[in-house]
Every structure is written in C-alpha cells, then in structure tokens.
Amino acid sequence: MIHFVLLISRQGKVRLTKWYSPYTQKERTKVIRELSGLILNRGPKLCNFVEWRGYKVVYKRYASLYFCMCIDQDDNELEILEIIHHFVEILDRYFGSVCELDLIFNFHKAYYILDELLIAGELQESSKKTVARLIAAQDSLVEAAKEQASSLSNMIAQATK
Amino acid sequence: MGSQGGFGQSKEFLDLIKSIGECRSKAEEDRIVLREIETLKTRLSSPNTPKFKLKEYLIRLLYVEMLGHDASFGYIHAVKMTHDENLLLKRTGYLAVTLFLNEDHDLIILIVNTIQKDLKSDNYLVVCAALNAVCRLINEETIPAVLPQVVELLGHQKEAVRKKAVMALHRFYQRAPGSVSHLISNFRKRLCDNDPGVMGAALCPLFDLITIDADAYKDLVVSFVNILKQVAERRLPKSYDYHQMPAPFIQIKLLKILALLGSGDKKASEQMYTIVGDIMRKCDSTSNIGNAILYECICCVSSLHPNPKLLEAAADAISKFLKSDSHNLRYLGIDALSRLIKISPEIADAAQHQLAVIDCLEDPDDTLKRKTFELLYKMTKSSNVEVIVDRMIQYMISISDSHYKTEIASRCVELAEQFAPSNQWFIQAMNKVFEHAGDLVNAKVAHNLMRLIAEGFGEDDDAADTQLRSSAVESYLQIMGEPKLPSAFLQVICWVLGEYGTADGKYSASYITGKLCDVAEAHLADDTVKAYAITALMKIYSFEIAAGRAVDVLPECQSLIEEMLASHSTDLQQRAYELQAILSLDANAVEKIMPMNSTCDDIEIDKSLSFLNGYVQQAVENGAQPYIPESERSGMSNISNFKSQEDHESSTHALRFEAYELPKPMLSQNVPPILASSTELVPVPEPSYVSDILQPATSAPSGSDAGPSELRLRLDGVQRKWGRPTYSSATPSTSSNDAVKIQNEATQRDSVGMSNSKARDVSYDSRKQQVEISPEKQKLAASLFGGVSKSDGRQPSSSQKVSKHQNPTSDKSRAAKAAAPDTAVVKTPQTPPDLLDLSEPSISSSAPSVDPFKQWEGLLDLKQDPTPVSAGGVGSTETSDFMSLFTDMSLNVPSDGVAGTMPNVINGNGLGGIMADHSAQQLNKGPNLKQALEKDARVRQMGVTPSGQNPNLFKDLLG
C-alpha cells in the first residue's frame, strides 16, 4: 500500500502532498522535513529507493521535481517507480509537456488526476486512456458551468450598456 | 484533452505564488503567508463573496496549508462547499476536505449527510467525487451510514463508479473488517466484471483477504491463472498496455496473489508453473516495467512449491539483475537472491553472485548496502559469521540513523550468539556492539548476554566456561575505564565483575571493588548502574568472607556505601543496608546467603514455609495464637471469589457493548454463604496485596541476593540460542535437537568442502527452525532441509571433528573473501574482472544498435529503449532549458555521452542536458516544443518572468 505521495522541488518546497494513511499536521511537517533531507541529498546514480522508519520510499526526479511515494516493506519498488512514471506521463499528456509551473499553478488539477489514478493507497486505474477520459468528462462539465456563467454575465453586461 | 495551459488563476493568486517564489528567507515567506491567511479569513467568512470566488479562495487555502501553515479556520468552508449544488464547487469542496481532514476529525460528521446524498446522485461524476471522499474520510463509526449505498453502487452502470465502490469497500475492510465481513463475496463477483479496471481494482481487496486466509480462496486459483494467461496473451484492451507490456500492473498484482495461494501448496503450485514460466520468458528485461514483472515472478517462484525449471529461470534472472549497472536492479537482485536462497541454497554458490554481493556491500549507496546486509544476515553460518558480524559492526558504528542502528545491533547479537566460533571472539563482538549501540538494543539482549556468560556452554565443559568468564572479566576491566559507555553495557560489566571478578584468582578483591566504585562514582545520575555496582560489591565481599579471608573495605567503597545509605532511591538504600548487614555476618552465614557461583541454580521456593514449622510449633506451645488462614477468617470467605472476578474484569479494559452474560451456576452456588454471613462484600484490595508481597518474602531466604534472582526470573522462557549443539540440549524439545544435529552436519560439510567459498546454505533453514517453533513452518523447513542434509550425510564425519573452534576454516574463508576478486576471476574466467565495466555483454549489448537521434525524432516509435534503467535519470539537469523541463522522463539513459548531445540537436541552444522520454516524447514531438515555447511566452506575459527576478523559483529550471 502507498502511504503517501509527495512532490518536492529541489529546494525542498512542497508541490503536492497526498496522505493515504492518517498523519497529523505535525507529523506531516516532520515527515516532509525528514524525507526532503534524505532524498534531496542523494547522489544521482544511486538507487531510487530509501529505507525509512521501516518503510521504503521510492522517489524519482523529473527535472527539478522529486516524486516520492512511501510504501510497505514487501511492496515491489520497481512497480512503484513505474506508477510514478505513469502518473507523470498522464500529467504530461494532460498539460502538454508538463513543467513545474503547471503543477504550481494548477496543483488542484494534479490532485484530481492523482485521485483518478490512486485511491486509498492502491493503483485503481492503469489505463491512461480511462484516466484521461474521466478527467476530460469532469473538465467538460466545468467548462459548461463556466460558459453558462460567462454568457450570463455577458447578457447582463449587454443589457446594462 | 490537450493543454489546459493558461494557468487560469486570478492575478491575486499568481501574485501570491510569485512573491512566495521570490522570497529569500523563510521569515519573509511566513510574513506573506500570514498576510494571505488574514485576507482569506475575512473573505471566506464574508457573506458577500461570490461563490466562484470562494472556490479560488479555497484553493489558495490549500496552497497555504501545503506550505506548512495552519489553515484550520477554513475547514468549515470546505465542508460547506461540498453541500453546493454546482458540481464545480462541489468537486473543489470534496478535494479540499479530503486534503484537509483526517478520518477522525470532528467535522466528518457534517459531511456524511452530503456524501449520502451525493452517492445517490444521477450524475456519475458527483458519485465519483463522493466515493473519493468516502475512501479518505469515512471512519469506523460512520461506515454503516454509507455502506448500503456503496454496496448498491457495485452494480452501477458506469465502470468508473463500480471501480471506486470496490475500492471504498476495500477501505472499509481495512478500517473495520467486521463491518463488511458479510459483503466479502462481492469482491469475488467483481473479479468477473467486464471492465478490466474494475477487475484490477477487485484484486486489491482479494490480495488482502488471501494474505489473511489463503485456504478459503484456493478455488480461485484456476480463475487467477486464467486471468493472468489472458492478460499475458494481450487479450485486454490496448489502452492497458504500458510501455509495450500488457497490463503490467495487473500482472504484478496477480503474481502476488498466486504467490500467496501457492505457498506451501504443491497442488496449487503445479497449476501455476506454466503461466509463471511463460511470463518470465516473455518479460522484456530491457524496460523497467519488464524487470518489475520479472522481479515479481522471482518472488512468486520463491514462494511456490519448488520447481527446478522455474528456479533455474529465476536464478538466471537474478544473475542478470546483479550484473546490471543500475543500482535499482542490483538492489532488486540482492533482494531476490535473499528470497530464493531460502529454498535453493545452491544458488549462492555461484561465484559471480558472490562477487556481485561483495560489490554491493562496498557500494557507497546506503540503501544497497543495507539490503546486502539483510542478505548476509540470512546467509550467516558458523564459517562466515566472523566476517559478516565484523562488517555489520563496522557499518553500525558508521551510521547515525538510530532506527536502523537498533536493528542491525540486535542482528549482530543474534548472529553472534548463534554461530560464535570462540569465546574471545564472542565477547569482543559483544563489547563492540554494546559500546556503540548499548542504549539502543533491547534490555533483553543485555540480560541474555549475562545469562550466556553465567551458563556457558553446558554442564560438561567447565574449563571452557571458566575461560569464557575470565576472558569476559579481563576485557571488561580493560574497557570499563572508557568514558560514555552506555548504561546497559555498564550493567553487564558490573554484574559480570561481581559474579566472576575474583573467581579465577587473577585479580584481588580490592582491585575489583575499586573498579566498581569508580563506575558507581562516574555515573552518579544512573541509579540502575549504581544498583548493579553495589550488588556486585556485596557479592565480592561475601565471597571473600565465605572464603575466610579478611575483608578490607576500601575507603572509597566505604564512602560510597554511606552515600547510598542516604540515597533518595529506596532500592539503592536497601541494597546498601543489605551490604552493611552482610559485612557484619560470619563466614558460615554468608556462605548460606551468597553461595559461590550459584546463578545457574534453580531456586526452589518453599511456599508453605515448612522450615519455620519448628519455630511456629514452639511459639504455639508457648501460648501464641495459632494462625487462621485467610479463607477461614469470618467475613473474608468471599475474598478469593471476589478476587478472581476482579481479575476477570480487569483483563478487559475496553468498554463492553454486548450484553452481560448470564450468571454462571457455579458462582451462584458460592453466593448463598456470603449472603448468609450478611457481610456484604467490600472491595478491599488488602488481602490480595498481602499475598502478593508474601511471595518475595518467602523466596528471600532460600536464594541468593536480589540482583541475580531477579535476572533469572526475567530470563525465564527466553529461548536458548547459543550455537553449540550441546547447549541447546537443555531444552527438552526433540525437534530442536534434530535441527541442531542437522545444522551440525551442514557445518561439517562447510568446513570440509567449501571453506573457501563464502557460500550460504542450509544453515539458514536450520536456524530458522530453531528460532520459530510454529509447527507448520517447522515441518516445511524440515522437508526442505531434509533433502539437503541427506546428501550431506555421506560426508565423513571423521575428516574433521565436530569443530569446537572453527577459527582455521573461517580464517581461511576470510582470506578467501579478502582475495575474492582474484580468486573469482580465476575460478570463473567468463566474468569480467571489473564489475563496474559498463560494457556488460548480456543486457546492454543492444545499446549501440539504436541510434538515439533517430529515436529522438520519433522514427522508432514503437522501439523499446535500449538500456535497462535510468540511473537516477538526471545527471546533468543543471543546465536544463525551460522547454526541455520534463523531457527527461526517460526510463532509460543510454549513456552520458549521448545524453549530452541530444537536447542540443533539438533545442539548438546547447543548454540542455536531459534525455528524451521515449514514449511520451515520441507521441507528440512537434507540439511539445511548440507548446513549451508558448508556455514560456505566456509566463512572460503574465509577468512571472523566469529570469533573475525570482531566482528561487526558477533557478533550477534555468540553471
């Protein structure tokens, strides 16, 4: 089971956190501090896995961002590494060559995508297409709602001219 | 799909992010965030804020909390937003609550109602959003409120909803297995779902269920094998392919399940051999995901009933992993090796593996090193224990992570106890462990060590015992002067010095007592150490008195005792008084109280105090009142009854929700006399207290002093693990005796046949057998192990005596290991002498055949990337260009030289140092570049210029 997902920038800034096991706000801060110290200091050619408090943390660096997932001792590390990559591929397709700025400004969208990918700490959907379809469906509803709102305000604006 | 690009946020939000990015210090950032929090507080609670604005504020609040600030004032607004009719707002609300709240938060109760309503919605997106929240927020208490709806959704027409419903049910099962136990059959049903996503989701709960009870699911073996077959034959929709592998994540899950079902079950295993073999053959070992499946296959094979063909395939795969340049693969190789070694010990004999293992052990990567230690731990036997434990101790000293230090220290102790080749070595090793990690190891370990020193190797070899003790005393006298010894170690030292300090006559009593006083004075704050020291003093003095020698209490001892007499700790005080009392007794009495070398004698407690009979008799004759037992005293007849009842109740501390059980008939028989005596039972705890303290009091006269007897009590039931076969004969279990015998044979074989190979074999099994007494496992291990030992049986036992001192062999093995690279090269000429040589033939041989440029241009769309794994991925991103930001999502790094050139070609600006992702990149090559440029332009337009103005945010991107 995945206990949490962390996205940290190279400066140790948190870009996204998702907790699948209960952690209090205090513990969260501590975990993030501990892990960013551990992971950011690792050399480039080492394993993508770190043992930590009896768990394993699998991380991968993409440009300036570290994607980390914390898993149980008996999970398959390489699989998790691929889940991370899977997530990044989906992000990339959604944002169109995703960059850190996309994730800073639209972090809530990254959360929506993550919610379609992982649920309760397990991979729920391994088909990129399905995830994309679901996100698109949600977005189209959002777009519709927006259009409605803007057309309404347009009408009001024209009426008051 | 496509780009959602235009960051779509208001100017305010952009400014906030920008200013935080520009912060130069944490204090500055905090100031900005606090200001933002104030703004959000007023805006969120203002009734005039338009709804769509609220949504943005909430997202800003999420951002604030992500930065580590308290945003709890806004939680209620998030909860309110989930009530909203508008899906856009509702979704944001749900996102916010799942991120803000834990499942035990007070506000959860306010959301349950909304969730209930939304689960019934006819818009499946609303249902999905609600189910996401259910998975995160519903706790044990609220499960019943949503359970019926979730179960209903298992049959929803949309597969996305069914999938999430399955996962929600799985979550409920994890939270409170009891609440959904009647619904477990639903998971089986979902296994046959038309949609592969739902089927894949159902595997998660089934995996959990099978982990707990595999037998109940044996009937599903055929189904799982069939599904796996279909997946491997690419019968699933193409969209489930990942890097040209058919639905790899589902394959891995299925392999995990099969491993559980086939474990220890020959019949079930036989059904799986074909498909597992097929998958192993089909795996593409050049891609990461292929290797992930391969690794899972090895794990599966190692847990199934052994099959020679599969084991061979697994061994091949492992050797490929170990030979790889990638740390990740070597890590997995080591892990896989330690799994396989359990059932197929021969695999470790391969010289190439040994080389690889040594390589990993010396690797600077901590993760890899630890994994290797784990493997070594499993491979340890008496011929290699010295090298392994020495290595472990060295590593233990070098690290600061206390969590791991504790673990490795207790492993050292365990191994040393089990396999120690000689007393000196054992004592030395223990000294090192205690010196550097004494406060981290379990107190039991220290007690175990004392017991080992006290009991030695068994009754038949007194000389060896004495030698062990005197070597311990000698080394402790040397070491005890060092500053900052851990408390646990000092306790051991004091105890050993007290028991055996003067035993061999080498050291005088005054020398030892002087040392003990030094210890006590140097550790004034540590009462436990002082207590150990003073008890040790007492023992030494009483031995002296008993031996008829005159006792001269050193002045510093005298002052120490006086100090203790006035100590705040009653324990210390008592010990000091006892010491004083003993000093004034004559030799005869002292010999009775403190018999020499008595720690191993069993203390028989005379509970009836029969030795006092004569005294009592005399007193009664002199006119004393005879003793009336508790039970016969009036008004006290119910005490024992009452006490047992109380015991029963105190054992269940938690609140009881079920009805009280009916009164038992036996109890009611006892009740009438109580009522008759008309003394209502009053819960007086006193009688039981009296009987409690009575026991130690009675035990006192028959035994030695409090210290050792306490120890002995604590050690009761602790397993005996000492490596010598004779030692464990003390435990009457025949099966463990067998194990020892078998291990003995194995050891013999080692010492005869393969002293130069640091091979790890059967002894692991035999050890396991000794440690775990679960009969089932024992049986399995015995069957596994029996085969091996039979073949060993023919080894002539006369060639070398059952070695008491294995120093010669292990020295040889150490020498062999030290020279390992050389010897191995001689032995296996096909392995290249330099393992770091990148040009390994088998795996990366295809690398040069693919032109990376072509690949970059997307000409080889479906071609797999040549090299196995990225080595960290981003060696040279320092100079990465903004537009090539995420292009290094490559699985694979062909080689550094090539890596440097590729982005140059594409970007034409020579900045890049990143590889192209082979799949994502190939799919939309042209647009990517354009998009990136567009994005860059857009960012500049917005004023978030990625330049020197805000270096913190963009430094890494521009380099």
Side-chain angles (χ1 to χ4, degrees):
Chain A
M1 180 194 165
I2 299 167
H3 295 280
F4 54 79
V5 178
L6 273 185
L7 262 70
I8 321 174
S9 79
R10 223 174 57 176
Q11 289 81 33
K13 283 243 176 2
V14 182
R15 295 296 178 221
L16 187 145
T17 57
K18 184 90 187 174
W19 309 85
Y20 295 106
S21 297
Y23 289 86
T24 63
Q25 195 66 38
K26 230 188 200 160
E27 285 167 340
R28 293 179 184 188
T29 327
K30 197 166 161 239
V31 167
I32 292 169
R33 201 180 332 112
E34 240 175 73
L35 279 183
S36 48
L38 205 63
I39 288 169
L40 300 182
N41 291 330
R42 275 175 75 82
K45 278 219 147 189
L46 307 180
C47 282
N48 290 62
F49 324 126
V50 183
E51 296 195 10
W52 172 79
R53 291 203 208 163
Y55 296 107
K56 286 187 290 200
V57 177
V58 177
Y59 70 93
K60 184 149 188 200
R61 183 177 156 174
Y62 291 93
S64 53
L65 267 188
Y66 285 84
F67 287 67
C68 319
M69 290 190 185
C70 172
I71 52 171
D72 286 323
Q73 272 299 337
D74 49 355
D75 282 327
N76 183 336
E77 296 91 345
L78 222 48
E79 182 198 5
I80 302 296
L81 210 55
E82 288 310 287
I83 290 179
I84 292 179
H85 190 74
H86 186 53
F87 177 45
V88 176
E89 279 186 5
I90 293 172
L91 285 176
D92 189 68
R93 225 187 251 198
Y94 180 79
F95 286 106
S97 61
V98 66
C99 73
E100 192 180 347
L101 279 179
D102 286 319
L103 298 185
I104 298 174
F105 289 123
N106 276 322
F107 67 92
H108 59 291
K109 289 191 175 157
Y111 276 121
Y112 289 137
I113 293 174
L114 191 60
D115 276 344
E116 293 307 322
L117 193 67
L118 301 176
I119 206 164
E122 305 275 0
L123 183 73
Q124 63 155 331
E125 185 54 73
S126 56
S127 155
K128 249 175 275 185
K129 216 188 237 167
T130 313
V131 173
R133 211 173 42 228
L134 273 169
I135 295 289
Q138 291 169 11
D139 278 344
S140 67
L141 263 180
V142 172
E143 295 291 322
K146 259 187 199 159
E147 255 167 46
Q148 226 177 356
S150 61
S151 66
L152 213 68
S153 61
N154 277 349
M155 280 192 316
I156 295 168
Q158 286 188 345
T160 51
K161 243 180 206 173
Chain B
M1 280 194 294
S3 169
Q4 297 295 308
F7 296 112
Q9 310 293 353
S10 75
K11 185 84 174 65
E12 267 181 333
F13 186 41
L14 291 179
D15 284 344
L16 171 71
I17 289 172
K18 204 175 123 191
S19 56
I20 287 176
E22 282 169 355
C23 285
R24 290 184 185 278
S25 68
K26 182 87 179 95
E28 201 181 335
E29 182 189 307
D30 286 350
R31 225 170 20 248
I32 296 174
V33 173
L34 287 177
R35 207 168 54 221
E36 171 73 8
I37 286 177
E38 282 312 309
T39 326
L40 289 176
K41 242 183 210 168
T42 49
R43 300 248 182 104
L44 275 172
S45 48
S46 140
N48 304 326
T49 316
K51 273 189 174 170
F52 67 94
K53 269 281 178 198
L54 268 181
K55 172 186 155 247
E56 192 197 302
Y57 294 143
L58 212 54
I59 289 175
R60 277 156 72 175
L61 199 63
L62 282 175
Y63 187 75
V64 165
E65 191 170 86
M66 200 152 66
L67 291 174
H69 292 263
D70 178 40
S72 51
F73 67 88
Y75 292 176
I76 188 68
H77 297 284
V79 172
K80 256 199 273 179
M81 199 171 276
T82 60
H83 301 329
D84 203 283
E85 289 299 313
N86 185 333
L87 175 63
L88 181 61
L89 296 185
K90 191 185 268 303
R91 207 162 70 117
T92 312
Y94 272 129
L95 177 69
V97 288
T98 54
L99 291 173
F100 282 145
L101 305 182
N102 261 334
E103 58 187 15
D104 50 358
H105 201 278
D106 297 338
L107 291 175
I108 298 289
I109 210 76
L110 295 177
I111 308 174
V112 173
N113 191 25
T114 324
I115 289 181
Q116 274 179 326
K117 214 174 71 207
D118 288 343
L119 286 177
K120 285 186 200 139
S121 163
D122 49 0
N123 184 342
Y124 78 98
L125 291 173
V126 173
V127 181
C128 281
L131 278 173
N132 274 344
V134 164
C135 288
R136 180 79 187 87
L137 298 176
I138 294 297
N139 54 26
E140 205 174 334
E141 283 165 33
T142 39
I143 284 176
V146 293
L147 191 57
Q149 277 124 334
V150 171
V151 173
E152 209 172 290
L153 290 174
L154 285 173
H156 198 273
Q157 49 169 349
K158 277 280 180 190
E159 64 277 357
V161 174
R162 290 202 302 272
K163 188 175 64 194
K164 286 190 191 215
V166 169
M167 296 307 280
L169 217 52
H170 177 211
R171 190 63 168 182
F172 294 164
Y173 177 75
Q174 287 176 331
R175 284 281 150 271
S179 65
V180 291
S181 50
H182 58 291
L183 297 165
I184 280 170
S185 60
N186 281 302
F187 295 134
R188 283 165 175 264
K189 260 188 247 159
R190 284 305 122 207
L191 200 59
C192 313
D193 201 284
N194 291 329
D195 184 72
V198 182
M199 186 271 291
L203 293 177
C204 299
L206 282 172
F207 175 76
D208 276 12
L209 289 166
I210 293 172
T211 310
I212 294 166
D213 176 21
D215 287 336
Y217 294 87
K218 294 284 186 193
D219 58 311
L220 284 179
V221 171
V222 185
S223 322
F224 286 129
V225 169
N226 271 333
I227 296 173
L228 188 54
K229 205 183 236 159
Q230 288 176 24
V231 173
E233 284 168 0
R234 296 180 182 273
R235 302 263 193 86
L236 290 192
K238 202 96 178 79
S239 68
Y240 282 88
D241 282 11
Y242 176 83
H243 295 187
Q244 280 80 52
M245 292 298 286
F249 300 110
I250 293 179
Q251 282 193 43
I252 289 176
K253 203 84 203 174
L254 280 166
L255 282 168
K256 276 186 176 159
I257 290 177
L258 288 186
L260 289 176
L261 285 172
S263 161
D265 184 342
K266 190 159 180 244
K267 204 168 133 260
S269 296
E270 273 162 3
Q271 292 173 291
M272 302 167 189
Y273 290 151
T274 329
I275 184 64
V276 176
D278 277 354
I279 290 179
M280 279 180 102
R281 254 196 315 284
K282 275 187 198 166
C283 267
D284 160 28
S285 62
T286 56
S287 73
N288 237 346
I289 192 68
N291 284 322
I293 296 177
L294 205 54
Y295 167 72
E296 205 55 61
C297 283
I298 299 173
C299 296
C300 183
V301 168
S302 69
S303 120
L304 293 185
H305 186 84
N307 171 287
K309 248 180 160 177
L310 283 182
L311 285 176
E312 200 180 307
D316 281 353
I318 289 180
S319 76
K320 262 190 219 163
F321 280 165
L322 288 175
K323 271 189 230 158
S324 156
D325 300 330
S326 150
H327 275 69
N328 288 349
L329 288 189
R330 276 159 64 188
Y331 175 91
L332 289 185
I334 295 277
D335 186 78
L337 193 61
S338 65
R339 283 169 193 265
L340 208 59
I341 224 161
K342 276 188 240 169
I343 56 166
S344 156
E346 313 86 57
I347 185 181
D349 298 349
Q352 64 213 36
H353 291 168
Q354 297 169 11
L355 269 187
V357 169
I358 298 242
D359 240 24
C360 293
L361 197 59
E362 266 145 26
D363 200 275
D365 187 347
D366 253 8
T367 313
L368 194 54
K369 219 180 233 172
R370 287 179 189 187
K371 200 82 206 172
T372 316
F373 275 122
E374 218 165 280
L375 172 68
L376 290 185
Y377 167 71
K378 291 183 180 170
M379 299 192 320
T380 310
K381 57 191 178 191
S382 38
S383 62
N384 57 16
V385 63
E386 287 178 83
V387 189
I388 289 176
V389 172
D390 279 355
R391 281 279 190 164
M392 281 182 160
I393 292 175
Q394 271 172 31
Y395 181 64
M396 184 191 81
I397 294 171
S398 71
I399 57 173
S400 56
D401 170 4
S402 66
H403 182 90
Y404 192 69
K405 214 170 185 164
T406 316
E407 198 182 308
I408 202 168
S410 45
R411 280 185 171 179
C412 283
V413 176
E414 190 189 322
L415 290 179
E417 277 177 17
Q418 239 162 3
F419 300 111
S422 72
N423 311 331
Q424 265 86 4
W425 179 85
F426 176 74
I427 298 286
Q428 294 297 338
M430 286 302 96
N431 285 355
K432 269 191 224 156
V433 172
F434 275 93
E435 202 178 327
H436 295 281
D439 286 333
L440 296 173
V441 295
N442 194 330
K444 232 162 91 183
V445 175
H447 295 159
N448 224 7
L449 175 60
M450 292 185 229
R451 201 201 58 194
L452 280 169
I453 292 173
E455 294 190 343
F457 306 130
E459 296 80 41
D460 58 338
D461 197 355
D462 278 343
D465 293 359
T466 324
Q467 196 210 342
L468 168 72
R469 289 166 192 162
S470 37
S471 65
V473 168
E474 203 154 317
S475 70
Y476 288 161
L477 283 173
Q478 267 173 26
I479 220 168
M480 70 194 296
E482 281 177 28
K484 284 193 192 166
L485 288 179
S487 166
F489 190 34
L490 285 166
Q491 292 163 22
V492 175
I493 291 178
C494 289
W495 187 83
V496 170
L497 288 185
E499 281 293 321
Y500 307 113
T502 55
D504 60 354
K506 204 166 161 191
Y507 300 100
S508 72
S510 61
Y511 179 71
I512 302 281
T513 48
K515 284 280 189 186
L516 285 169
C517 284
D518 291 347
V519 170
E521 271 158 26
H523 298 87
L524 283 176
D526 193 337
D527 277 358
T528 325
V529 170
K530 276 197 285 191
Y532 269 88
I534 200 143
T535 305
L537 282 179
M538 175 156 53
K539 279 187 244 175
I540 289 192
Y541 285 136
S542 46
F543 295 155
E544 288 296 291
I545 295 171
R549 286 189 282 267
V551 176
D552 56 328
V553 180
L554 296 177
E556 64 251 45
C557 291
Q558 195 59 53
S559 63
L560 181 72
I561 293 167
E562 269 156 28
E563 190 190 317
M564 299 289 175
L565 286 173
S567 168
H568 286 297
S569 153
T570 48
D571 176 55
L572 283 181
Q573 239 182 44
Q574 177 171 359
R575 283 168 201 259
Y577 275 111
E578 279 171 12
L579 171 55
Q580 232 180 13
I582 282 179
L583 284 177
S584 62
L585 288 174
D586 66 277
N588 250 344
V590 170
E591 204 176 350
K592 279 263 161 66
I593 304 170
M594 300 283 260
M596 185 74 176
N597 198 7
S598 61
T599 40
C600 305
D601 303 342
D602 289 325
I603 302 173
E604 277 173 36
I605 296 170
D606 185 0
K607 281 190 179 169
S608 64
L609 306 182
S610 56
F611 57 91
L612 288 175
N613 282 351
Y615 179 76
V616 172
Q617 192 71 30
Q618 206 180 358
V620 171
E621 276 166 14
N622 288 344
Q625 282 281 322
Y627 174 74
I628 307 168
E630 262 172 21
S631 51
E632 287 166 28
R633 276 173 241 175
S634 68
M636 290 297 189
S637 55
N638 51 359
I639 286 298
S640 58
N641 249 339
F642 172 71
K643 192 173 171 242
S644 71
Q645 203 173 328
E646 191 183 46
D647 278 357
H648 171 73
E649 272 175 18
S650 64
S651 67
T652 55
H653 278 296
L655 283 176
R656 295 176 51 179
F657 291 107
E658 72 272 28
Y660 289 101
E661 56 278 83
L662 289 167
K664 291 188 190 102
M666 203 192 81
L667 257 172
S668 62
Q669 273 171 2
N670 283 343
V671 171
I674 301 171
L675 292 177
S677 70
S678 84
T679 46
E680 276 303 331
L681 56 152
V682 185
V684 198
E686 230 169 310
S688 68
Y689 176 65
V690 166
S691 74
D692 276 352
I693 60 164
L694 216 60
Q695 281 187 357
T698 49
S699 74
S702 65
S704 58
D705 73 312
S709 76
E710 252 173 36
L711 273 172
R712 201 163 322 142
L713 285 176
R714 257 181 259 171
L715 286 167
D716 273 350
V718 176
Q719 257 199 340
R720 302 179 177 222
K721 290 192 209 159
W722 187 248
R724 296 296 175 100
T726 46
Y727 180 72
S728 58
S729 66
T731 54
S733 145
T734 48
S735 60
S736 84
N737 272 346
D738 286 349
V740 170
K741 234 181 276 166
I742 291 163
Q743 189 205 345
N744 210 13
E745 278 170 11
T747 326
Q748 248 173 281
R749 190 188 68 152
D750 300 339
S751 47
V752 176
M754 24 194 306
S755 54
N756 63 337
S757 77
K758 19 162 260 97
R760 332 44 234 227
D761 59 1
V762 271
S763 59
Y764 173 66
D765 285 312
S766 72
R767 173 158 58 85
K768 218 174 162 204
Q769 209 173 352
Q770 276 171 280
V771 176
E772 298 171 3
I773 326 197
S774 145
E776 212 184 274
K777 275 188 185 159
Q778 215 165 11
K779 212 172 129 199
L780 176 67
S783 69
L784 285 175
F785 184 69
V788 182
S789 72
K790 227 177 273 168
S791 65
D792 292 338
R794 61 193 154 72
Q795 292 285 355
S797 58
S798 58
S799 68
Q800 190 172 343
K801 273 195 150 188
V802 181
S803 48
K804 197 168 278 173
H805 298 287
Q806 277 150 354
N807 283 340
T809 47
S810 40
D811 275 349
K812 234 193 283 174
S813 81
R814 193 199 309 203
K817 226 179 279 186
D822 299 333
T823 50
V825 171
V826 177
K827 264 189 287 176
T828 59
Q830 75 274 18
T831 47
D834 181 7
L835 286 186
L836 287 175
D837 191 355
L838 297 186
S839 59
E840 268 297 328
S842 60
I843 298 178
S844 54
S845 59
S846 58
S849 69
V850 181
D851 184 351
F853 291 91
K854 279 185 187 166
Q855 204 190 341
W856 175 263
E857 313 235 350
L859 294 178
L860 292 172
D861 264 355
L862 294 173
K863 176 93 183 166
Q864 268 289 334
D865 220 321
T867 33
V869 191
S870 90
V874 248
S876 45
T877 38
E878 301 281 343
T879 54
S880 70
D881 188 88
F882 184 70
M883 47 186 133
S884 55
L885 273 181
F886 269 76
T887 55
D888 72 329
M889 284 180 277
S890 70
L891 265 188
N892 307 312
V893 183
S895 83
D896 280 348
V898 184
T901 54
M902 283 195 308
N904 291 358
V905 174
I906 298 305
N907 300 339
N909 55 12
L911 275 176
I914 309 177
M915 266 59 60
D917 171 67
H918 72 280
S919 60
Q921 199 58 29
Q922 283 154 9
L923 286 169
N924 39 10
K925 194 91 349 80
N928 265 2
L929 183 56
K930 224 165 80 191
Q931 275 170 0
L933 284 169
E934 276 168 8
K935 207 177 278 180
D936 188 27
R938 200 166 53 229
V939 171
R940 282 169 199 281
Q941 242 172 18
M942 284 186 307
V944 194
T945 321
S947 71
Q949 290 169 3
N950 34 21
N952 281 339
L953 188 57
F954 296 105
K955 187 175 65 190
D956 51 312
L957 308 184
L958 282 164

